[in-house]
Amino acid sequence: MTYLVLIPLLMPFLAAPAARRAAAALPPRRAALLLTAAALVLAVSASAALALLVVPGASYLPAVAVLGELAEPLTAGPPPVTIALALVAGALLVRRAAALTAAARRDQAELRRARALTSGTEGELAVVRDDRPDAYALPGRPGRIVVTTGMLRALEPPEREALFAHERAHLRGRHHVLLATAELAALCHPALRSLREPLGYALERAADEAAAAAVGDRRLAARAIGRAALAARGAPGRPGAVRPRTVLAATAGPVPRRVAALLGTGTSGRPALGPRTRRLVAGALLMCLTLSGVSAVAAANDLHTHIEIAQGEDPGR
C-alpha cells in the first residue's frame, strides 16, 4: 500500500504542467473546466493518500486497535517507518484542514462585507461611491455587478455596457465556483498552485468572449477592458481594496494578452501545439489523472484487506 499511496502524492508534479499545456490549446471555457477538474481530482487523490498513510500508524494505538477490533497492528512495513509516515501524513492533513478552514472563513467574511455594501441595491447593478476605478462580479442570491463611481467616470457608455456584459458572464457561468475549487485544491498540494493563474486567465478570456458577443463588437470589448484596466492601475491607492479575493474582475490577469486575443493579434507566448503534440499532452494528462485516482482506490482496497487480516478474518471469503 505504501508504494501505491506515493503515486497520488507525486503525480501532481507531472499532471499540473500537462494540464497547463493542454488548457493552452483549448477554447477558454473548456480550458477552465479542464483545469478545475484536474485540480479537483489531484487534490482529492493526494488528500486520500495522506489519510491512508495515517491509518496503519494509528493502528498501533490501543484505542484505535480496540475501536477497529484489530488483533494486531496493520503491517505496512517496519513499525518505526510506518509510525513515522503516519505522523508526517497526519501533520500534513491537520495543516491542510486548518488552511482550508481559514481560507473558507476568510472568503465568506470578505463576501459578507462586500454584500453589505450592496445591501440597499435593487436590481443587478450595484454602484459603490468610491473614486478608485473598480468593477467585479459579486456572487450570491442574487448575484450582482459591483462598479465604483470612479470606474463609471473612466468609461464611455458603450464601454460600460461591454464591461457589464463581461461581469455578467462571470455570474452566469458561476466562474467563482471554479476559481474557489482551484484555490482550495492549491491548499491541498503545492504543485496545484501553478494551475490558479492559467485558470484565472481562462475564466477572464471566457468572459471577454461573452462580452464581445453580447455587444457585437470585439474592438469595443477590447477597448473597454483595456481602458478599465488602465484606469484601475493608474488610480492612487490599491485597486480592488474592497474586492473579495475569490471574485473575478475584468481588470484582472494579463490584460494585454486578453486584449490581443480579442483583436486576433495575440499569441499565447509559446509556439502553438500541433495536432499530434496536443494528443500526446492530452493523453499524458489523462494517464496522470487516471493513475492518481486508481492508485488511491487500489491503496484503499489494499488497506481494507490488511484490516480484515488484522481482525482475524479471511479476506478471500
Side-chain angles (χ1 to χ4, degrees):
M1 184 196 76
T2 303
Y3 298 107
L4 286 173
V5 297
L6 290 178
I7 295 177
L9 295 175
L10 297 176
M11 199 55 65
F13 293 104
L14 298 176
R20 294 197 304 270
R21 294 299 300 273
L26 293 175
R29 184 173 178 276
R30 291 173 60 188
L33 293 175
L34 172 68
L35 290 166
T36 305
L40 184 60
V41 170
L42 294 169
V44 170
S45 299
S47 299
L50 286 177
L52 292 172
L53 280 174
V54 171
V55 178
S59 68
Y60 285 87
L61 296 173
V64 175
V66 171
L67 184 63
E69 300 180 351
L70 303 177
E72 59 183 18
L74 302 176
T75 55
V81 175
T82 301
I83 294 172
L85 286 175
L87 289 173
V88 172
L92 289 174
L93 281 175
V94 170
R95 182 178 178 181
R96 290 179 181 181
L100 288 171
T101 302
R105 289 179 176 175
R106 179 203 66 205
D107 294 343
Q108 288 299 316
E110 290 181 352
L111 288 172
R112 282 195 298 269
R113 285 195 296 270
R115 291 197 66 81
L117 294 175
T118 65
S119 58
T121 301
E122 296 292 338
E124 179 188 52
L125 184 64
V127 179
V128 177
R129 292 187 178 278
D130 192 335
D131 290 335
R132 291 169 299 189
D134 196 17
Y136 55 88
L138 181 62
R141 295 182 181 179
R144 287 195 172 97
I145 299 169
V146 181
V147 60
T148 64
T149 52
M151 182 62 79
L152 292 177
R153 287 194 297 267
L155 301 180
E156 299 295 330
E159 295 167 346
R160 296 174 194 166
E161 291 303 318
L163 181 68
F164 297 159
H166 175 101
E167 305 303 347
R168 191 175 295 118
H170 282 319
L171 293 174
R172 289 180 176 174
R174 298 184 64 81
H175 292 171
H176 62 283
V177 175
L178 303 183
L179 185 63
T181 299
E183 291 285 350
L184 295 177
L187 296 175
C188 294
H189 197 286
L192 301 181
R193 297 170 188 166
S194 63
L195 298 183
R196 292 182 296 187
E197 187 275 333
L199 174 61
Y201 175 74
L203 292 174
E204 293 299 341
R205 282 285 299 117
D208 291 345
E209 292 295 330
V215 300
D217 188 340
R218 298 181 68 84
R219 294 186 66 85
L220 172 60
R223 187 170 69 249
I225 292 165
R227 288 192 63 183
L230 287 174
R233 295 175 186 181
R238 184 169 69 87
V242 184
R243 185 198 311 160
R245 298 173 190 171
T246 54
V247 303
L248 293 141
T251 57
V255 174
R257 279 180 63 198
R258 292 167 48 204
V259 169
L262 277 172
L263 297 177
T265 60
T267 64
S268 64
R270 64 179 60 174
L273 300 179
R276 182 178 180 183
T277 305
R278 286 200 298 269
R279 288 194 294 269
L280 289 174
V281 172
L285 175 60
L286 180 61
M287 182 185 68
C288 289
L289 296 178
T290 302
L291 278 175
S292 187
V294 169
S295 297
V297 172
N301 288 333
D302 190 27
L303 178 62
H304 183 263
T305 300
H306 282 292
I307 291 175
E308 289 184 334
I309 294 173
Q311 290 174 336
E313 299 179 7
D314 182 2
R317 283 190 302 151

